Amino acid sequence: MLDTSPLTAVVERFADRLRSAPQSRLQRGAAAEGLALARELSVRAQRLEGLADGARPREMPDAGIFVVGDQLAVAGLDLAEALRGANGVPDAATAPSEVLDEAVRLVERAEVRAMR
């Protein structure tokens, strides 16, 4: 089973920073960055879990700037769970460990952009 603790650690750190960020920082773009990341992680999880033929991934709704940290946490944990259960990924050339590494990098970069 794939160790997804690097992903859950960076997601929780960023989610906690968003939860504790002042309203002004959230409004200046941190919330938008967090929501975009949550949506991306959610899409990746849905693809790993398998979509019905022709089905499109569901988009995470914009529930407001004060819940984006929770949305990010949920999406990140969903992706971690999907990776732990993945026997393969849609792109057979990409191993689950590579998908994990890429997701960790996405979170780290988004956190830097959001918190500068």
Side-chain angles (χ1 to χ4, degrees):
M1 182 182 293
L2 184 63
D3 176 16
T4 59
S5 60
L7 177 60
T8 56
V10 295
V11 165
E12 280 301 318
R13 182 185 67 222
F14 187 18
D16 286 344
R17 291 187 75 188
L18 288 169
R19 289 177 186 124
S20 63
Q23 182 175 353
S24 60
R25 172 164 281 171
L26 293 171
Q27 290 172 325
R28 282 193 316 264
E33 189 70 46
L35 179 60
L37 176 63
R39 286 177 170 166
E40 178 61 27
L41 297 180
S42 174
V43 166
R44 289 171 186 235
Q46 291 175 63
R47 287 190 176 132
L48 279 173
E49 292 167 346
L51 294 169
D53 288 337
R56 293 185 339 180
R58 294 173 310 280
E59 183 177 278
M60 183 171 287
D62 182 346
I65 64 172
F66 296 113
V67 297
V68 72
D70 294 331
Q71 288 179 294
L72 176 58
V74 167
L77 293 176
D78 283 351
L79 179 55
E81 186 62 32
L83 283 165
R84 282 193 297 271
N87 293 326
V89 293
D91 176 3
T94 306
S97 61
E98 292 174 19
V99 175
L100 173 67
D101 293 342
E102 182 181 356
V104 169
R105 286 190 300 273
L106 281 174
V107 175
E108 290 171 338
R109 283 186 241 139
E111 182 177 11
V112 167
R113 286 190 305 269
M115 296 300 161
R116 58 180 146 160

